[in-house]
Amino acid sequence: MSSSMEPRASVLSPSGGSKEDGDVDHELSANWAELLKTLHVLRLPKTTTTEFELFPQRDGALEGNSGLIVYGRPRDVVPLMLQSGVLCPMQAMLVLSRQWLSCTPDQADAPSTLRASAGVLFDSNGNSYFRRFSPSRLVSLVVNLTDDNQLRSVIRDVPRLRPQGASEAIDTPLATCQLLSRCEHVRQPKTVVVVADGEPLPPRVAARLEAVVYRAGEPGGLRAALFDRLQLRPDCEMWLRLDGQDPIGCEAKDVCNVVQSRFRPSTRTAVAVERVCAFRPENAPAQEESEWTRGQTFTVRCSVVLWRDRPTTVAMLAVVHRTDQSLYSHADAPLPVSLDCTLKRWGCDVLQRRELCERTRAEAERVFAVVRREHCDLMLLGVELVLAGEMRAVEFVVSSLDSRGFIADMAARTTLESLAVPVPEQVEPSADRLLGFEPLVSACLHRAHCGLLRGRHVLVIGGCVFRHKAVWTRVRNEFGLKVTLIDACVKSPWVDDLWDHIQFDLTDHSRDEEHARRIVAMVQQRRLNVGCCISRMEDCLPLAARIGELLHLPGNSYVAMHRAVAKTETMELVLSNPKMDPLPAVRRFGSRSIRIRAVEDIDVAVKQIEFPAVLKLEHGSGAVGVKQVHTIKECYNYFRKITSDLRSDADLPGVGLGYGNMMSLMDWLGGSEHDVDVVMLNGQLVAAFCQDNGPTPLPFCTQTAAACPSFLHPDEQSQLIACAFQSCRAIGLRSGVFNVELKLTPAGPKLIEINARVGGFLGRRWIRECYDCDLLLASFLTAFGLRPCIPRLPRPLRYCVGINLVSSRLEGLDSDEFYYEQICPIIEDVPYEEVDALLAASDQRSHTAAIDKLLQLVHDLDLFRSDEHPCAYYLSSFK
């Protein structure tokens, strides 16, 4: 259907059928008209409507569904939807009518299930499309920006952006006064709450908050509260707000008369607030005020989002008022502008503006943290602040709170920016560079994804080690997954974080088929409703894949996982793989590798591979036992040492010795080393992230340092990503998060090995810090067949640089307690050199700033005294 006219009711109705004249959805008609007007003002195409389903479900999977819906006035939420189109094209849904939603309980005493039968979707170019969904889409988070009581009855107990009852508990002046009065170190004006006779009297919980009962003709109680208890001067300016009436400005001596004249039978409360002295720049007398500031004051509306587990201010908009208008009067207020622009009008220079913006941001985030102690499920909060006093002694006074986070003001500002003519270069840099809607959308998507996983059951093979404790705790608390762990370890206290634990010996991987059938029998006997089977241990990956095949669960095949574990087999497949598609042929990324089972195999291998070469465990991990060799004699000696010291998994658990201790001889690859973390779903690349590694301490190949994001040119990063993606496809990997180790040589990228799991050594945490992408969450989503919402070209938010710590090469760590708690836990004490911890620094500005921080930290800790190379050597490749 053409988008040039309003679609028929049969198209916009959830069922697709026509509506009777008496059943016209007036809400839908009004919101549809407002949506088209908003898109027109933003110079975007009209919404396209079709009568067919765009994204049908495949085999019951919700591959194209983020679980996020937005319900609100289109003019307020369209900028938010445009940002969602950038982060997750065609996945977040804009709901224009309650009739598009249906909520039913799954079972008795179970949470409700909300589904959307239709919605408006946005792509990355700003185009919007109306779609009907058949079957309807599951909703895991509602971004509710209205106080519609009928909507509450529809969504019931489904998670939402604004907590249930947020308007009554946060937004009203009385609720704000009571809430802030319980918070320490948050300044608010002196306030008197007047309640009607018969209404419950709020308790006096702070010196600045008084409550009195209004009785007609008896103003004595109000006068006592104003002048005796709060000790206000008669000429003190006050703001008076009564229920359902416009705010009034008056002096304290007139408050009693105004309340008596305006307090009606329907009035329940009135709030009188002391007016705070307006902000004045340093050394700026009143007579020098400009026409912009004379008789004016302003408030700052800060929007704070819980993003990446910490409060983040995403907008600071200033609203200018006349000094005789109420701080609470939002109606007919001037258009909001940036705090930086307003401070410039008030005569502040760029350094003063930057300082005030930082202090305002910090104060808003502090207030958010304080309020969140009362409302633990709070994700978004608007904090309105008044700047009182002069520049050097400025104070921040909280005048109001908004559970909607001033989204309407942010949307209005975004609309104004879309009309502005772009300026190539600013005369002065802005002092309040903020992120706008991106953190809010990102936080909502993260919570919606967790909602899609909540209550699902996952079977985990192996991983009962201390370093995974934090992982399983987060999986249980944040993702809401039920985890059944199958491992040989005896039940330890931290395993209580899991839903279930089954003790089973998995160490002998030559019996994986037998183990898989026995585990499947146990799962069926316990009647576990398992949705996927995964492993975080390198040597258990094939076993987990085989169990998934027997249980008919989504995931990669056993053959593909076995190829990934066997390094020589991986290289053979890459070298023999034909050109598959328009991407470069995968065989150009491979190198020669020969399996060594006995000493005699070395004589055959050296005829095909030139020295120097690399001798490593065939099924190893963590760079254990990897060494550069230069002669055949050195090969003999090192092979005998490894096969003598490391015979079985009991000698060094978790490095692949359950498959045996055979080794492989590979070509030595020059150039720089890099890691690429690849996210795939159904054979398609979802996202990829590059990290750089520092020079290894030859002849061993232990990782020494890392940097994220990569220092490489975008063209070189594209080559690495193509190499990693093509190599994963070549061995049969289709869905999951994979860590691929590569070398960038003068001849282009070369594959080292594929780890068919989420990468270790804090790489996952770095990617979350730098790109706001949670690879752990992505691994579970892809395991269930769900598509993670990751931007196609994410921009870095921070720069991280770290150096690995190996106990055999360090001094200066005098306290084990400091080493465990302040740097990073030591995993195991092993005879072969492994990375014990990672010391890192990050900075929002650049890699260089992060490196400077790290070098200073190493100097303060007095590390690397006994090492032959200083710390700067390991960081020398990061240029």
Side-chain angles (χ1 to χ4, degrees), residues 805-814 858 861-867:
L805 305 181
V806 180
S807 56
S808 63
R809 308 171 68 87
L810 291 176
E811 294 182 11
L813 298 178
D814 300 327
V858 169
L861 294 174
D862 196 17
L863 303 178
F864 296 92
R865 284 181 296 171
S866 63
D867 199 348

Side-chain angles (χ1 to χ4, degrees), residues 23 60 78 90 157 217 252 288 311-312 327 330 372 394 407 423 454 480 500 582 654 656 672 677 741 758:
D23 296 334
V78 163
M90 305 297 289
D157 56 351
E288 294 184 6
T312 302
L327 293 176
H330 291 172
R372 196 167 185 269
V394 67
I407 294 296
V423 181
R454 193 165 303 277
D500 191 15
S672 56
D677 290 278
E741 299 179 22
V758 181

Side-chain angles (χ1 to χ4, degrees), residues 612-809:
V614 177
L615 194 59
K616 60 198 300 187
L617 287 169
E618 172 69 6
H619 301 92
S621 63
V624 173
V626 181
K627 184 180 180 181
Q628 184 188 55
V629 291
H630 295 81
T631 64
I632 189 171
K633 183 178 179 180
E634 192 176 353
C635 286
Y636 291 151
N637 294 336
Y638 193 64
F639 177 80
R640 291 190 181 102
K641 175 177 174 55
I642 290 289
T643 54
S644 174
D645 293 349
L646 304 178
R647 295 179 178 273
S648 66
D649 194 72
D651 296 324
L652 188 56
V655 296
L657 294 174
Y659 294 97
N661 60 355
M662 70 182 71
M663 304 189 73
S664 59
L665 189 67
M666 300 178 61
D667 285 323
W668 169 256
L669 302 173
S672 56
E673 185 176 342
H674 308 271
D675 282 2
V676 177
D677 290 278
V678 178
V679 183
M680 296 174 60
L681 182 66
N682 296 328
Q684 184 182 33
L685 179 66
V686 177
F689 305 93
C690 295
Q691 300 182 60
D692 298 339
N693 296 330
T696 59
L698 296 177
F700 297 100
C701 297
T702 307
Q703 185 176 339
T704 59
C708 181
S710 174
F711 280 80
L712 295 178
H713 189 277
D715 289 353
E716 294 174 320
Q717 294 188 49
S718 299
Q719 293 181 22
L720 291 175
I721 292 172
C723 173
F725 175 53
Q726 290 286 76
S727 300
C728 290
R729 292 182 62 192
I731 66 173
L733 297 176
R734 293 186 52 79
S735 295
V737 179
F738 313 118
N739 176 257
V740 185
E741 299 179 22
L742 307 166
K743 277 287 191 76
L744 184 59
T745 70
K750 295 291 184 180
L751 175 66
I752 299 177
E753 65 184 46
I754 298 174
N755 304 308
R757 52 168 174 77
V758 181
F761 295 128
L762 299 184
R764 171 175 57 85
R765 187 182 302 176
W766 281 21
I767 290 175
R768 190 178 184 190
E769 285 292 319
C770 295
Y771 294 104
D772 191 32
C773 174
D774 191 342
L775 292 185
L776 181 62
L777 177 61
S779 66
F780 282 105
L781 288 169
T782 54
F784 282 103
L786 305 174
R787 185 181 184 88
C789 289
I790 304 174
R792 189 63 66 89
L793 296 172
R795 61 181 181 85
L797 303 173
R798 298 187 70 87
Y799 299 88
C800 297
V801 178
I803 188 162
N804 290 325
L805 305 181
V806 180
S807 56
S808 63
R809 308 171 68 87

Side-chain angles (χ1 to χ4, degrees), residues 250-312:
C250 62
E251 293 183 350
K253 63 185 179 182
D254 299 325
V255 169
C256 296
N257 296 332
V258 175
V259 169
Q260 284 189 353
S261 64
R262 289 180 172 261
F263 213 96
R264 297 185 174 89
S266 60
T267 305
R268 298 177 58 190
T269 61
V271 179
V273 182
E274 172 195 18
R275 194 183 78 181
V276 181
C277 181
F279 167 75
R280 185 178 299 170
E282 186 176 4
N283 300 325
Q287 60 269 23
E288 294 184 6
E289 291 181 343
S290 67
E291 61 177 339
W292 292 101
T293 61
R294 189 177 300 114
Q296 305 283 341
T297 185
F298 66 89
T299 60
V300 185
R301 297 176 182 174
C302 303
S303 299
V304 188
V305 177
L306 185 66
W307 184 42
R308 297 192 297 178
D309 302 326
R310 56 177 174 260
T312 302

